[in-house]
Amino acid sequence: AQRVTQPEKLLSVFKGAPVELKCNYSYSGSPELFWYVQYSRQRLQLLLRHISRESIKGFTADLNKGETSFHLKKPFAQEEDSAMYYCALSAAGAGRRALTFGSGTRLQVQP
Amino acid sequence: NAGVTQTPKFQVLKTGQSMTLQCAQDMNHNSMYWYRQDPGMGLRLIYYSASEGTTDKGEVPNGYNVSRLNKREFSLRLESAAPSQTSVYFCASSGINRVRNQPQHFGDGTRLSIL
């Protein structure tokens, strides 16, 4: 069975401080990992995926297969980053494509 | 484009009542999904439909049925609502790529309360 763990329910930082949202997973096969974000009064939307290896809104995430982690990082937090962040996993390749979500971490960036 | 549209946005039911949550997407996606979101538990998959005419159970299917009416629409039915089904329900859709998973696009959610 696949599982995604986000150990922090709430992460509060000051503007300009570094941010790291933790995500650990367990899956026996080859996973695809995603970060989804939900801003206040907006839909859940994709932030980034490990395959793309890109930086979105200053956020990056590296898949560490040895530690089974996919932590989300940003060097300098902005107030507009305040939102609910979900780490999600899907089996890579063909077949079942539904996502397994973590329980989410609420990021609060204080001025 | 509206993307994924869910109706209704809010609903209050009494225990034992039935209702259908509607979901439609205008992105020509093959796959559609129903999730429920409960406090402290993230989103959990109820049912999904990989393509028109097929449906499969997810992690928490008990008490629910689904219908993939056509490529655009995927409905979720509660035959006899129970208080444990009080939740926020999200519909999502995604396209197909044989090599990698395509991002899922979500609706606004339906907030359902069972009294």
Side-chain angles (χ1 to χ4, degrees), chain A residues 21-72:
Chain A
L21 300 170
K22 293 189 180 348
C23 172
N24 288 91
Y25 68 90
S26 63
Y27 181 61
S28 57
S30 181
E32 289 193 33
L33 275 297
F34 305 81
W35 276 99
Y36 279 79
V37 60
Q38 189 171 27
Y39 300 102
S40 179
R41 298 190 181 85
Q42 293 188 28
R43 298 180 177 187
L44 192 63
Q45 57 188 285
L46 178 69
L47 179 62
L48 54 78
R49 56 196 302 183
H50 88 271
I51 283 179
S52 301
R53 292 184 169 273
E54 56 193 344
S55 174
I56 303 292
K57 300 184 179 182
F59 285 98
T60 59
D62 291 318
L63 179 61
N64 186 323
K65 292 189 177 181
E67 296 183 359
T68 59
S69 68
F70 188 55
H71 303 326
L72 183 68

Side-chain angles (χ1 to χ4, degrees), chain B:
Chain B
N1 282 345
V4 178
T5 303
Q6 291 183 235
T7 56
K9 292 196 187 309
F10 303 94
Q11 185 71 48
V12 179
L13 295 177
K14 294 182 180 178
T15 298
Q17 286 186 312
S18 62
M19 83 160 294
T20 300
L21 307 185
Q22 307 286 353
C23 175
Q25 52 91 8
D26 60 5
M27 295 172 283
N28 201 36
H29 285 165
N30 286 299
S31 300
M32 298 186 72
Y33 313 83
W34 276 105
Y35 296 89
R36 59 178 287 174
Q37 182 184 41
D38 300 295
M41 300 187 75
L43 283 76
R44 293 181 292 168
L45 182 68
I46 305 171
Y47 270 93
Y48 70 103
S49 171
S51 61
E52 186 179 352
T54 68
T55 60
D56 286 284
K57 294 179 180 179
E59 183 184 354
V60 288
N62 291 345
Y64 305 95
N65 285 302
V66 289
S67 295
R68 184 73 183 268
L69 305 170
N70 47 56
K71 192 171 185 179
R72 288 188 66 246
E73 298 171 288
F74 188 38
S75 62
L76 178 72
R77 182 161 177 84
L78 287 70
E79 290 290 351
S80 179
S84 60
Q85 294 177 304
T86 293
S87 188
V88 181
Y89 291 84
F90 287 98
C91 178
S93 70
S94 66
I96 280 187
N97 181 305
R98 293 191 186 281
V99 175
R100 61 186 56 156
N101 287 309
Q102 294 301 297
Q104 292 187 17
H105 297 258
F106 286 81
D108 288 327
T110 295
R111 190 172 295 275
L112 183 62
S113 294
I114 316 294
L115 305 178

